[in-house]
Every structure is written in structure tokens, then in C-alpha cells.
Amino acid sequence: MTDKTSNQMWGGRFAAGPDAIMEAINASIGFDQRMAAQDIAGSRAHAAMLAAAGVITDNDAEAIREGLLTVLSEIESGQFQFSTALEDIHMNVESRLKEIIGEPAGRLHTGRSRNDQVATDFKLWVRDQLDAAAKGLEALIAALVDQAEAGADWVMPGFTHLQVAQPVTWGHHMMAYVEMFGRDLSRVRDARARMNESPLGSAALAGTSFPIDRDMTANALGFDRPTANSLDAVSDRDFALEFLSVASICAMHLSRFAEELVIWSSAQFRFVTLSDRFSTGSSIMPQKKNPDAAELIRAKVGRIFGANTALMMVMKGLPLAYSKDMQEDKEQVFDAADNWMLALAAMQGMVKDMSANRDSLAAAAGSGFSTATDLADWMVRVLKVPFRDAHHVTGALVAMAESRGVDLPDLSLEDMKSVHDGITEDIFTVLGVENSVNSRTSYGGTAPIEVRAQVARWKEILG
Ligand code: ARG
């Protein structure tokens, strides 16, 4: 007989229980209890399959099924006593099942191992998060499309190098983010499709001699098929890494938009007003309204990308098959998932509530010689001047306007002619920002007509 303090699940060959520090470093129950529902779903599918395959009796399978439902309700209602000595969610559930139903509980672990069990549970958990991310992205995209539709023809400055470049439309700027988040959504769907193979039944690493039906369990758990190599299946965490890299790219996009909102909501810009619901005040400066949500979203990419890097480092160089290193996968993914979902929801709320200050946008749209390219293009189109020469002439006119502290449309025709005598009155029609944006009708361009076409396309996609 083994020492009573040795582990009741695997302690058969042990004379003594683990040191307290061993137990502390070994246990994952502190965090993997988040996979309880997935663990129980996997066990229910496994038990039903074992009975169908004749490995356990129908009576045992029924007792297991009932018992697992009781365990689940105990966990959901907060009554369940998690034990560090029982290491992880898998052994906590099985041990409690034994207390409830007795001997049949011991048959549940036939033809499987914690290695395929944890891979299955974790995949199911990550899959749920991908589905939640898809919903969050769809809601955010819809909010951006609404903003774009409302302001399809509102002019604002477009920037490169954060210097005024050319006038664009508010709708066009909003739709740029729709494209980014649309690619994120497509990556989420790709990742989900690729990961959706069931590891269950790969057992410890080599498969099992029991006549299990892996298609049946895969099907019951909503997987497309079973994994095709048991060694790979128990040691694969690509799905978690893909989740983190998709999350990282999306968080990077979120941070870019968040940064724009921080800039735009400043007194210097006043491009947008964030709602009170998504702003905070200062405890010392009564006038302040701070874009804290945007700043925190901007920061989230740090921890999400950190999680991605951390798990890459955990997995790097691991020999086949399962190694305990892999237990370090979950906290990174849990933290990244929580923060990604929160950032998506906060961004969606901010976008939905914010109002663009149309007058400030329009006033800024004409500043910084933003229609200089239109002037040069006019010379190319009307005077047949080579673009390089037109660029040079326009540069001279910009310098003239700048030295007088005025904008391009404020120069007189004589001023223009002094630099290039072919210029006619007609030039003034292209110097207005409205004309400028209306003229950019190339596919994907900033013209309101193009923006509206993209809005319509996305509304169709979103259904
Ligand atoms: N708690 C473990 C983990 O998260 C479960 C798998 C343990 N397997 C083993 N052979 N010790 O990775």
C-alpha cells in the first residue's frame, strides 16, 4: 500500500507525496479550472463513445454522464472544492466524479490520457474564444460602417507622416479600419477552420489498443475530423499560437485606431468628441476629459503580443511528444483572450458613441496646402505639362503662399501666372477640398461615391 499522502490518481508507485513546493509548481488548477465546461463536455463525449464501442457498459456510461452533469452544476454554482493536490481540472473532475458515482468513474479514463484530454479541452476553449472574437469584430465593423455611412462626404485632412497630405473623407478613413478588422475577421475564421480537428483518442502519445471511435467523439464535440497523428496531436499548440498571433495583429490594429482617437479628441485637433460613457475625468483638473479607454486599448497590444512571444518561447525546441512545459500555455492565452475581447468591446462602444466634429474636420481639411496635388494634376490634365514640371511649379506656389501666410486658393491668378503663365481661372475649381475629394473616384479612392459603394459592399457582407 502506498503512503496515504501520495497522489490518489497516479500515486501507485509513489511512497510519499510531493513536497509543498513541488505541488505548487506542478499544479495548474488555479487557472485551468476555466476549462471545466470543456473538460466535462470532452469526458461526456468520450464516455458515450466507450459505451457505443462496447468498452464500458451502458449503465456505467449513464452513471458517468449523470455524475459529470452534477460536477458541472457544482462548478457552475461555485460549490466545487478545487484541490491543488489534484493538480489540474482533469483530475479534480474525475476525483469528484468518483466521490459521486463510485467505481464507474474509474472506467472513464480508459483509452485516453490527460495529454489528449488537455489538448482537446484547450482547443475547445480557444475555439469558443475565436467565435467570440468573430462576434466582437463583426460588431466593431458594423459600428465603423455606420460612422462611414453618416459621414461619407465629410471632408477631413488625410495624413502621411502625420503631416497634412491630401483631403479625404471621414467615411473613407472609417472604412480603412473596416478593411483592417475585416482581415482580422478572415484570419479568425481561417484559424478556426485549421484548428478544428479533435485530439481526443490520441491517448498519451501513441494511440490506444481499445476499439475507440474517434470520428464519433470528434463529431460530438463539433470538430470536423480527428487529428491524423497521435504524437503531433498531444504536442501541438499551433492553435493557441495562431490564436495569439491573430489576436496580436488585431490588437495592433486596435492600437492604431486608439492612437488616432487620442489625437483626434485633443483640444488641438477636436476632430471627434468621445462620449462621457467612454471617457474619464481628472481628480485635480476639472476641465479634463480623458480618452482612457482609447489609451488602454492602445496598450493592450503589449500584453497580447507578449503572450504570443512567451508561448513561442515555451514551445521552441520541445521534443515530441507532450512535455509539462506545455502547461505554461494556458495563462498566456487566457489573459490575451480576456484583454482582446475587452478591447474589442470597448472600441466598439467608443466608435458607436463618438461624434465627429464636422466643422473642425472641414476647417482642417483645407489647411496645410492639402490641394497642392490637385493643382499639379490640373496642370497635367489641362496644360499637358509633364507631372514632374507641374510638381515643381506647384512647389513654387506653395512656397509663395507660405511666405505670405495664406492658403493656395488665396493666391491671385496673377500670382499663379507669375510662376507659370499657362494657368487660367479654371485652376480655382480644383483648389477646393470638396472638389478634390469628389474627383478621387478611382476604385478604393476617397470620393464619397466610392465610399458609399464600399459601405454597401460591407453591409452586404455583414448581412
Ligand atoms: N495540467 C496538464 C497541462 O495543462 C495536463 C496534462 C498533464 N499530463 C501529464 N502527462 N502530466 O498540460
Side-chain angles (χ1 to χ4, degrees), residues 34-46 116-132 192 195-200 217-224 239-240 243 333-334:
R34 284 190 72 167
M35 307 191 307
Q38 290 76 12
D39 191 72
I40 288 169
S43 288
R44 286 181 56 190
H46 186 67
D116 58 337
Q117 199 179 352
V118 72
T120 305
D121 295 1
F122 197 30
K123 262 195 178 182
L124 291 172
W125 197 91
V126 169
R127 196 177 69 183
D128 284 349
Q129 295 298 311
L130 285 172
D131 291 342
R192 191 193 197 282
M195 71 168 297
N196 206 27
E197 297 184 339
S198 172
L200 193 58
T217 45
N219 200 30
L221 296 169
F223 288 112
D224 294 328
F239 61 94
F243 175 81
V333 171
F334 293 163

Coordinates of all heavy atoms in Angstrom, one line a residue, residues 34-46 116-132 192 195-200 217-224 239-240 243 333-334:
R34 N -10.7 27.2 -15.6 CA -11.5 27.9 -16.6 C -12.0 27.0 -17.7 O -12.9 27.4 -18.5 CB -10.7 29.1 -17.2 CG -10.6 30.2 -16.2 CD -10.1 31.4 -16.9 NE -10.9 32.0 -17.9 CZ -10.7 33.2 -18.5 NH1 -9.7 33.9 -18.1 NH2 -11.5 33.7 -19.3
M35 N -11.4 25.8 -17.8 CA -11.7 24.9 -18.9 C -12.7 23.8 -18.4 O -12.8 22.7 -19.0 CB -10.5 24.2 -19.5 CG -9.4 25.2 -20.0 SD -8.1 24.4 -21.0 CE -7.6 23.1 -19.9
A36 N -13.3 24.0 -17.2 CA -14.2 22.9 -16.6 C -15.3 22.5 -17.6 O -15.5 21.3 -17.8 CB -14.8 23.4 -15.3
A37 N -15.9 23.4 -18.2 CA -17.1 23.1 -19.1 C -16.6 22.2 -20.3 O -17.2 21.2 -20.7 CB -17.8 24.3 -19.6
Q38 N -15.4 22.6 -20.8 CA -14.9 21.9 -22.0 C -14.4 20.5 -21.5 O -14.6 19.5 -22.3 CB -13.7 22.7 -22.5 CG -14.0 24.0 -23.3 CD -14.4 25.2 -22.3 OE1 -14.1 25.1 -21.1 NE2 -14.9 26.2 -22.9
D39 N -13.8 20.4 -20.3 CA -13.3 19.2 -19.8 C -14.5 18.2 -19.7 O -14.4 17.0 -20.0 CB -12.6 19.4 -18.5 CG -11.9 18.1 -18.0 OD1 -10.8 17.8 -18.7 OD2 -12.3 17.4 -17.1
I40 N -15.6 18.7 -19.1 CA -16.7 17.8 -18.9 C -17.4 17.4 -20.2 O -17.8 16.3 -20.4 CB -17.7 18.5 -17.9 CG1 -17.0 18.4 -16.5 CG2 -19.1 17.8 -17.9 CD1 -17.7 19.2 -15.4
A41 N -17.4 18.4 -21.2 CA -18.0 18.1 -22.5 C -17.2 16.9 -23.1 O -17.7 16.0 -23.7 CB -18.0 19.3 -23.4
G42 N -15.8 17.1 -23.0 CA -14.9 16.0 -23.6 C -15.2 14.7 -23.0 O -15.2 13.7 -23.6
S43 N -15.3 14.7 -21.6 CA -15.5 13.4 -20.9 C -16.8 12.8 -21.3 O -16.9 11.6 -21.4 CB -15.4 13.7 -19.4 OG -14.0 13.9 -19.1
R44 N -17.8 13.6 -21.4 CA -19.2 13.1 -21.8 C -19.1 12.4 -23.2 O -19.6 11.3 -23.4 CB -20.2 14.2 -21.8 CG -20.6 14.6 -20.3 CD -21.7 15.6 -20.4 NE -22.8 15.2 -21.1 CZ -23.9 16.0 -21.4 NH1 -23.8 17.3 -21.1 NH2 -24.9 15.5 -22.1
A45 N -18.4 13.1 -24.1 CA -18.3 12.5 -25.4 C -17.5 11.2 -25.4 O -17.9 10.2 -26.1 CB -17.6 13.5 -26.4
H46 N -16.5 11.2 -24.6 CA -15.6 10.0 -24.5 C -16.4 8.8 -23.9 O -16.3 7.7 -24.4 CB -14.4 10.4 -23.7 CG -13.3 9.3 -23.7 ND1 -12.6 8.9 -24.8 CD2 -12.9 8.5 -22.6 CE1 -11.8 7.9 -24.4 NE2 -11.9 7.6 -23.1
D116 N -4.1 13.9 -24.3 CA -5.1 14.2 -25.4 C -6.3 15.0 -24.8 O -6.9 15.8 -25.4 CB -5.6 13.0 -26.1 CG -6.2 11.9 -25.2 OD1 -5.9 11.9 -24.0 OD2 -7.0 11.1 -25.8
Q117 N -6.5 14.7 -23.5 CA -7.6 15.4 -22.8 C -7.3 16.9 -22.7 O -8.2 17.7 -23.1 CB -7.7 14.9 -21.4 CG -9.1 15.1 -20.7 CD -9.2 14.5 -19.3 OE1 -8.3 13.7 -18.9 NE2 -10.2 14.8 -18.6
V118 N -6.1 17.3 -22.3 CA -5.9 18.7 -22.2 C -5.8 19.4 -23.5 O -6.3 20.5 -23.7 CB -4.6 19.0 -21.4 CG1 -3.3 18.6 -22.1 CG2 -4.5 20.4 -20.9
A119 N -5.3 18.7 -24.5 CA -5.3 19.3 -25.9 C -6.7 19.5 -26.4 O -7.0 20.5 -27.0 CB -4.5 18.4 -26.8
T120 N -7.6 18.6 -26.1 CA -9.0 18.7 -26.5 C -9.7 19.8 -25.8 O -10.3 20.7 -26.4 CB -9.7 17.4 -26.2 OG1 -9.0 16.3 -26.9 CG2 -11.2 17.4 -26.8
D121 N -9.5 19.9 -24.5 CA -10.2 20.9 -23.7 C -9.7 22.3 -24.1 O -10.5 23.2 -24.3 CB -9.8 20.8 -22.2 CG -10.3 19.5 -21.5 OD1 -11.0 18.7 -22.2 OD2 -10.1 19.3 -20.3
F122 N -8.4 22.4 -24.3 CA -7.8 23.7 -24.6 C -8.3 24.2 -26.0 O -8.6 25.3 -26.2 CB -6.3 23.7 -24.5 CG -5.6 25.0 -24.4 CD1 -6.3 26.1 -23.8 CD2 -4.3 25.2 -24.9 CE1 -5.6 27.3 -23.7 CE2 -3.7 26.4 -24.8 CZ -4.3 27.5 -24.2
K123 N -8.3 23.2 -26.9 CA -8.8 23.6 -28.3 C -10.3 24.0 -28.2 O -10.6 25.0 -28.9 CB -8.7 22.3 -29.2 CG -7.5 22.3 -30.1 CD -7.7 21.3 -31.2 CE -6.4 21.3 -32.0 NZ -6.5 20.4 -33.2
L124 N -11.1 23.3 -27.5 CA -12.5 23.7 -27.4 C -12.6 25.1 -26.8 O -13.4 26.0 -27.2 CB -13.3 22.7 -26.5 CG -13.5 21.3 -27.1 CD1 -14.1 20.4 -26.0 CD2 -14.4 21.4 -28.3
W125 N -11.7 25.4 -25.8 CA -11.7 26.7 -25.2 C -11.3 27.8 -26.1 O -12.0 28.9 -26.3 CB -10.8 26.7 -23.9 CG -11.1 27.9 -23.0 CD1 -12.0 27.9 -21.9 CD2 -10.5 29.2 -23.1 NE1 -12.0 29.2 -21.4 CE2 -11.1 30.0 -22.0 CE3 -9.6 29.8 -23.9 CZ2 -10.8 31.3 -21.8 CZ3 -9.3 31.2 -23.7 CH2 -9.9 31.9 -22.7
V126 N -10.2 27.6 -26.8 CA -9.7 28.5 -27.8 C -10.8 28.7 -28.9 O -11.0 29.9 -29.4 CB -8.4 28.1 -28.4 CG1 -8.0 28.9 -29.6 CG2 -7.3 28.2 -27.3
R127 N -11.4 27.6 -29.3 CA -12.4 27.7 -30.4 C -13.6 28.7 -30.0 O -14.0 29.5 -30.8 CB -12.9 26.3 -30.8 CG -13.7 26.3 -32.1 CD -14.1 24.8 -32.4 NE -15.1 24.4 -31.4 CZ -15.6 23.1 -31.5 NH1 -15.2 22.2 -32.3 NH2 -16.6 22.8 -30.6
D128 N -14.0 28.5 -28.7 CA -15.1 29.4 -28.2 C -14.6 30.9 -28.3 O -15.4 31.8 -28.6 CB -15.4 29.1 -26.8 CG -16.2 27.8 -26.6 OD1 -16.7 27.3 -27.7 OD2 -16.4 27.3 -25.5
Q129 N -13.3 31.1 -28.0 CA -12.8 32.5 -28.0 C -12.7 33.0 -29.4 O -12.9 34.2 -29.6 CB -11.5 32.5 -27.3 CG -11.5 32.2 -25.8 CD -12.4 33.2 -25.0 OE1 -12.2 34.4 -25.2 NE2 -13.3 32.7 -24.2
L130 N -12.4 32.2 -30.3 CA -12.4 32.6 -31.7 C -13.8 33.0 -32.2 O -14.0 34.0 -32.9 CB -11.8 31.5 -32.7 CG -10.3 31.3 -32.6 CD1 -9.9 30.1 -33.4 CD2 -9.5 32.5 -33.2
D131 N -14.8 32.2 -31.7 CA -16.1 32.6 -32.1 C -16.6 33.9 -31.4 O -17.2 34.7 -32.1 CB -17.1 31.5 -31.6 CG -16.9 30.2 -32.5 OD1 -16.3 30.3 -33.6 OD2 -17.3 29.1 -32.1
A132 N -16.1 34.1 -30.2 CA -16.4 35.4 -29.5 C -15.7 36.5 -30.2 O -16.3 37.6 -30.4 CB -16.0 35.3 -28.0
R192 N -9.8 29.2 -37.1 CA -10.8 28.2 -36.6 C -10.9 27.0 -37.5 O -11.0 25.9 -37.0 CB -12.2 28.9 -36.5 CG -13.2 28.1 -35.7 CD -14.6 28.6 -35.9 NE -15.5 28.1 -34.9 CZ -16.0 26.9 -34.9 NH1 -15.7 26.0 -35.8 NH2 -16.9 26.5 -33.9
M195 N -7.8 24.7 -37.0 CA -7.6 24.1 -35.7 C -8.7 23.0 -35.4 O -8.5 22.2 -34.5 CB -7.7 25.1 -34.6 CG -9.1 25.6 -34.4 SD -9.3 26.6 -32.9 CE -9.0 25.4 -31.6
N196 N -9.7 22.9 -36.2 CA -10.9 22.2 -35.8 C -10.8 20.7 -36.1 O -11.7 20.1 -36.7 CB -12.2 22.8 -36.5 CG -13.4 22.5 -35.7 OD1 -13.3 22.3 -34.4 ND2 -14.5 22.4 -36.3
E197 N -9.7 20.1 -35.5 CA -9.6 18.6 -35.5 C -9.4 18.1 -34.1 O -8.8 18.8 -33.3 CB -8.3 18.3 -36.3 CG -8.3 18.7 -37.8 CD -7.1 18.3 -38.5 OE1 -6.0 18.0 -37.9 OE2 -7.2 18.2 -39.8
S198 N -10.0 17.0 -33.8 CA -10.1 16.5 -32.5 C -8.9 15.7 -32.1 O -8.6 14.6 -32.7 CB -11.3 15.6 -32.3 OG -11.3 15.0 -31.0
P199 N -8.2 16.1 -31.0 CA -7.1 15.3 -30.5 C -7.5 14.1 -29.7 O -6.7 13.2 -29.4 CB -6.3 16.2 -29.6 CG -6.9 17.6 -29.7 CD -8.3 17.4 -30.3
L200 N -8.8 14.1 -29.2 CA -9.3 13.1 -28.3 C -9.1 11.7 -28.9 O -9.6 11.4 -30.0 CB -10.7 13.4 -27.9 CG -11.3 12.6 -26.7 CD1 -10.5 12.9 -25.4 CD2 -12.8 13.0 -26.5
T217 N -16.4 10.8 -31.3 CA -16.1 11.9 -30.4 C -15.8 13.2 -31.1 O -16.3 14.3 -30.6 CB -14.9 11.5 -29.4 OG1 -13.8 11.0 -30.2 CG2 -15.3 10.5 -28.4
A218 N -15.1 13.2 -32.2 CA -14.9 14.4 -33.0 C -16.2 15.1 -33.3 O -16.4 16.3 -33.1 CB -14.1 14.1 -34.2
N219 N -17.1 14.2 -33.8 CA -18.4 14.7 -34.2 C -19.2 15.3 -33.1 O -19.8 16.4 -33.2 CB -19.1 13.5 -34.8 CG -20.3 14.0 -35.7 OD1 -20.2 15.0 -36.3 ND2 -21.3 13.2 -35.8
A220 N -19.2 14.6 -31.9 CA -19.9 15.0 -30.8 C -19.4 16.4 -30.3 O -20.2 17.2 -29.7 CB -19.9 14.0 -29.7
L221 N -18.2 16.7 -30.5 CA -17.6 17.9 -29.9 C -17.5 19.0 -31.0 O -16.9 20.0 -30.8 CB -16.2 17.6 -29.4 CG -16.2 16.7 -28.1 CD1 -14.8 16.3 -27.8 CD2 -16.8 17.4 -26.9
G222 N -18.1 18.7 -32.2 CA -18.2 19.8 -33.2 C -16.9 19.9 -34.0 O -16.7 21.0 -34.6
F223 N -16.0 18.9 -33.9 CA -14.8 19.0 -34.7 C -15.1 18.5 -36.1 O -16.0 17.6 -36.3 CB -13.7 18.2 -34.1 CG -13.1 18.8 -32.8 CD1 -13.3 18.2 -31.6 CD2 -12.3 19.9 -32.9 CE1 -12.7 18.7 -30.4 CE2 -11.7 20.5 -31.7 CZ -11.9 19.9 -30.5
D224 N -14.3 18.9 -37.1 CA -14.5 18.4 -38.4 C -14.1 17.0 -38.7 O -14.6 16.3 -39.5 CB -13.8 19.3 -39.4 CG -14.4 20.7 -39.4 OD1 -15.6 20.9 -39.2 OD2 -13.6 21.7 -39.6
F239 N -2.6 25.9 -32.5 CA -3.9 26.5 -32.5 C -3.8 27.7 -31.5 O -4.4 28.8 -31.7 CB -5.0 25.6 -32.2 CG -4.9 24.9 -30.8 CD1 -5.5 25.4 -29.7 CD2 -4.1 23.7 -30.7 CE1 -5.4 24.8 -28.5 CE2 -4.0 23.1 -29.5 CZ -4.6 23.6 -28.3
A240 N -3.1 27.5 -30.4 CA -3.0 28.6 -29.4 C -2.1 29.7 -29.9 O -2.4 30.9 -29.7 CB -2.5 28.0 -28.1
F243 N -4.0 31.6 -32.5 CA -5.0 32.5 -31.8 C -4.2 33.7 -31.3 O -4.7 34.9 -31.5 CB -5.6 31.7 -30.5 CG -6.4 32.6 -29.7 CD1 -7.8 32.8 -30.0 CD2 -5.9 33.2 -28.5 CE1 -8.6 33.6 -29.2 CE2 -6.7 34.0 -27.7 CZ -8.1 34.2 -28.1
V333 N -2.7 32.5 -22.9 CA -3.9 32.6 -23.8 C -5.1 33.2 -23.1 O -5.8 34.0 -23.6 CB -4.2 31.2 -24.4 CG1 -5.5 31.2 -25.1 CG2 -3.1 30.7 -25.3
F334 N -5.3 32.7 -21.8 CA -6.5 33.3 -21.1 C -6.4 34.8 -20.9 O -7.3 35.5 -21.2 CB -6.5 32.7 -19.6 CG -6.9 31.2 -19.6 CD1 -6.6 30.5 -18.4 CD2 -7.4 30.6 -20.7 CE1 -6.9 29.1 -18.4 CE2 -7.7 29.2 -20.6 CZ -7.5 28.5 -19.5

